[in-house]
C-alpha cells in the first residue's frame, strides 16, 4: 500500500530560494501541497503573489491555489530585499512565464489556511513558513485551535550565532565605540530577514506553548552550510544524466541561482554560492516521516530551545536561544547530498510534467 502523503501548507514570499521551496513542496511524492499563501517580504505582496503563480506555472502546477495574505507587518514599517532578490523579488531570468491565473481576490488567506489545515485529521498536517511570520501569527492568534491540531510547524528564519555552527555570515561589523564583532544576521548584524520583518509576529509564535514543541527552526547557522555552489548549479542545469541541451525549466532555475549568487557575493562577499535557505524548511517535513528527524538533520543530542525574539532597539529581530527540556528544534547540520538529491529529483519530475520544453 502506498503510504499516505503528508498534507502541507506553504506560506512564502518568493524569492529565489522560495521558488525552490515551491518546487520541493509541489513535487515530492510524499507531500500533498494543500495551498500556497503569500506574504510581503522579499518584494511587495503583489509581486510575491505573482511570483508564486509564475513559479507554479513554470513547474506545471498551476492548479495549486495561491492566497495573497498580509501586505505589511501588523505594527511596523514594511521591509523588502531588492539588494538580494531584485526589484521583482525574482530578478535574473526572462524565462519565468506570465501566470494565466489571477491571484484569488475573494479570499482570506488566514481563514483559508486554517480551513485547509483543519480539514485534515488531527496531527497529520504541517505548516511551512519561508517568509515573515505575519500571516501565520495572525492565523494562530485568530484560530488558536490550529496549534494543537497540527503535526508540525517548520520555519525558515532566525540566526543564533555565537558559535552555534561555524558558518561564515559575511563581514564583521564595528560597533559605536569602534569594537569589531562577528556578524550573526543578514538584515542587520544581529537579525535574519524573515524574523526582522516582523519580530512581534515571531515572538507570538515562539511563546506559544502549543506550538514550540512541534516547531523546527531552520536558521542561517544551518542554511549557510547549504550553498548552491558552481558544482550544484551545474548538476541542476544538466541533471544527473547530463541531459543536453538543458530544459527551459532548468535554465530558468539556473539563471535564478546565478542572480542570487551574484547578490550574495556583492552584499556579503560569499563566493561559494548563495545559501538556499527556504527548501530546507520543506525538507524538515520529509525528514519527519520516519518518526524522527535523524535521517536528514542531526538530532543525536536531542537539543531543544526556548527562543526569545528581541523586538526593540538595534538588535530588533535577533533570535536568542536558551536550552529547554521541551521546545524548538534547531538543526545544526544536514546531510547535504540527500538534500540536493531531493531537489534534483523534484526538478526531474517537474521537467517531465512540463514536457521537457526546450
Ligand atoms: C530568508 O530571507 C529571504 O531573503 C529568503 O527568501 C529567506 O526566506 C533568508 O534570510
Ligand atoms: Ca523566503
Amino acid at each position: 500500500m502506498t503510504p499516505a502523503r503528508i498534507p502541507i501548507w506553504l506560506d512564502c514570499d518568493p524569492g529565489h530560494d522560495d521558488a525552490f521551496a515551491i518546487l520541493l513542496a509541489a513535487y515530492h511524492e510524499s507531500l500533498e501541497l494543500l495551498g500556497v499563501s503569500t506574504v510581503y517580504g522579499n518584494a511587495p505582496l503583489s509581486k510575491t503573489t505573482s511570483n508564486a503563480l509564475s513559479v507554479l506555472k513554470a513547474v506545471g502546477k498551476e492548479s495549486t491555489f495561491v492566497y495573497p495574505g498580509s501586505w505589511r507587518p501588523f505594527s511596523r514599517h514594511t521591509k523588502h530585499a531588492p539588494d538580494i532578490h531584485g526589484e521583482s523579488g525574482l530578478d535574473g531570468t526572462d524565462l519565468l512565464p506570465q501566470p494565466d491565473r489571477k491571484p484569488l481576490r475573494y479570499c482570506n488567506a488566514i481563514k483559508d489556511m486554517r480551513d485547509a489545515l483543519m480539514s485534515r485529521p488531527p496531527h497529520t498536517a504541517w505548516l511551512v513558513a519561508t517568509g515573515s511570520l505575519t500571516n501565520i501569527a495572525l492565523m494562530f492568534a485568530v484560530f488558536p485551535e490550529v496549534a494543537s491540531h497540527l503535526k508540525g510547524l517548520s520555519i525558515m528564519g532566525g540566526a543564533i550565532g555565537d558559535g552555534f555552527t561555524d558558518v561564515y555570515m559575511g563581514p564583521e561589523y564595528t560597533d559605536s565605540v569602534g569594537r569589531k564583532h562577528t556578524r550573526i544576521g543578514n538584515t542587520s548584524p544581529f537579525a535574519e530577514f524573515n524574523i526582522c520583518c516582523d519580530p512581534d509576529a515571531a515572538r507570538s509564535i515562539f511563546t506559544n506553548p502549543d506550538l514550540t514543541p512541534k516547531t523546527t527552526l531552520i536558521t542561517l547557522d544551518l542554511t549557510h552550510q547549504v550553498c548552491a555552489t558552481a558544482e550544484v548549479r551545474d548538476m541542476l542545469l544538466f541533471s544527473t544524466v547530463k541531459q543536453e541541451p538543458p530544459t527551459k525549466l532548468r535554465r530558468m532555475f539556473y539563471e535564478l541561482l546565478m542572480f542570487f549568487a551574484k547578490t550574495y557575493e556583492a552584499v556579503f562577499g560569499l563566493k561559494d554560492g548563495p545559501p538556499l535557505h527556504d527548501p530546507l524548511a520543506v525538507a524538515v517535513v520529509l525528514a519527519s516521516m520516519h518518526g524522527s528527524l535523524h535521517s536528514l538533520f542531526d538530532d543525536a543530542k536531542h537539543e531543544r530551545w526556548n527562543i526569545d525574539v528581541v523586538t526593540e532597539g538595534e538588535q530588533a529581530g535577533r533570535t536568542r536561544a536558551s536550552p529547554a527540556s521541551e521546545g524548538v528544534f534547531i538543526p545544526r547540520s544536514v546531510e547535504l547530498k540527500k538534500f540536493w538529491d531531493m531537489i534534483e529529483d523534484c526538478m526531474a519530475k517537474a521537467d517531465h510534467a512540463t514536457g521537457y520544453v526546450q
Side-chain angles (χ1 to χ4, degrees):
M1 206 175 79
T2 332
R5 292 184 301 157
I6 304 175
I8 74 165
W9 184 281
L10 177 63
D11 186 72
C12 59
D13 63 336
H16 295 70
D17 50 335
D18 301 78
F20 282 85
I22 292 175
L23 174 73
L24 190 54
Y27 272 100
H28 198 285
E29 72 270 10
S30 300
L31 301 179
E32 177 197 7
L33 182 55
L34 301 174
V36 172
S37 49
T38 50
V39 63
Y40 71 89
N42 289 324
L45 179 69
S46 58
K47 292 184 179 170
T48 56
T49 304
S50 140
N51 291 344
L53 287 163
S54 291
V55 172
L56 284 163
K57 179 167 183 192
V59 302
K61 291 279 185 180
E62 216 184 0
S63 55
T64 305
F65 285 111
V66 174
Y67 302 77
S70 309
W71 66 276
R72 54 167 300 223
F74 40 84
S75 61
R76 323 217 150 213
H77 295 297
T78 314
K79 283 191 186 23
H80 302 302
D83 54 335
I84 302 295
H85 297 274
E87 287 299 328
S88 71
L90 262 187
D91 275 13
T93 184
D94 294 330
L95 298 175
L96 262 174
Q98 277 299 320
D100 294 329
R101 293 181 90 120
K102 297 256 174 298
L104 293 175
R105 285 181 61 204
Y106 302 103
C107 72
N108 176 331
I110 308 306
K111 181 170 182 309
D112 293 326
M113 188 185 330
R114 178 254 174 220
D115 290 349
L117 292 167
M118 295 300 288
S119 74
R120 293 302 188 267
H123 312 136
T124 55
W126 278 74
L127 174 57
V128 178
T130 63
S132 79
L133 303 188
T134 311
N135 285 347
I136 73 162
L138 285 168
M139 185 197 58
F140 288 118
V142 178
F143 302 112
E145 68 277 14
V146 187
S148 50
H149 187 85
L150 279 184
K151 168 83 173 167
L153 170 63
S154 178
I155 295 171
M156 190 283 128
I160 309 302
D162 292 333
F164 192 76
T165 67
D166 59 5
V167 293
Y168 174 70
M169 285 303 311
E172 291 180 320
Y173 74 97
T174 309
D175 67 19
S176 52
V177 292
R179 282 176 312 205
K180 290 206 175 302
H181 300 270
T182 308
R183 164 175 281 274
I184 295 171
N186 57 5
T187 297
S188 78
F190 310 96
E192 182 279 331
F193 182 73
N194 290 341
I195 304 296
C196 202
C197 279
D198 194 347
D200 315 280
R203 181 177 257 198
S204 78
I205 300 287
F206 298 129
T207 52
N208 182 335
D210 288 333
L211 281 176
T212 46
K214 52 177 82 169
T215 298
T216 299
L217 186 63
I218 298 294
T219 64
L220 298 181
D221 313 84
L222 178 72
T223 65
H224 278 242
Q225 299 168 41
V226 188
C227 293
T229 59
E231 193 187 339
V232 165
R233 296 194 298 261
D234 273 3
M235 183 273 284
L236 294 176
L237 179 62
F238 294 110
S239 84
T240 40
V241 293
K242 298 271 173 282
Q243 180 188 312
E244 292 254 26
T247 62
K248 186 173 173 185
L249 183 74
R250 286 178 186 273
R251 281 189 284 127
M252 182 197 91
F253 274 108
Y254 180 82
E255 289 177 8
L256 288 173
L257 284 179
M258 289 308 290
F259 181 89
F260 206 30
K262 232 189 298 160
T263 58
Y264 259 88
E265 180 163 1
V267 177
F268 299 110
L270 292 186
K271 293 188 190 314
D272 287 347
L276 207 66
H277 317 277
D278 291 342
L280 285 159
V282 179
V284 166
V285 183
L286 296 162
S288 77
M289 282 193 71
H290 307 292
S292 92
L293 299 176
H294 286 229
S295 55
L296 196 60
F297 299 97
D298 178 22
D299 189 24
K301 294 197 189 140
H302 200 77
E303 298 169 298
R304 293 296 179 265
W305 305 92
N306 282 328
I307 308 285
D308 181 38
V309 182
V310 179
T311 55
E312 296 303 333
E314 67 163 353
Q315 302 203 8
R318 180 170 184 173
T319 42
R320 290 185 186 279
S322 53
S325 49
E326 253 205 332
V328 174
F329 174 45
I330 310 177
R332 293 183 194 241
S333 67
V334 60
E335 296 262 357
L336 282 179
K337 182 166 176 351
K338 282 190 191 166
F339 172 74
W340 290 119
D341 284 352
M342 261 172 2
I343 299 284
E344 164 53 27
D345 190 51
C346 291
M347 187 80 80
K349 289 200 178 91
D351 246 352
H352 192 69
T354 51
Y356 296 106
V357 185
Q358 299 299 322

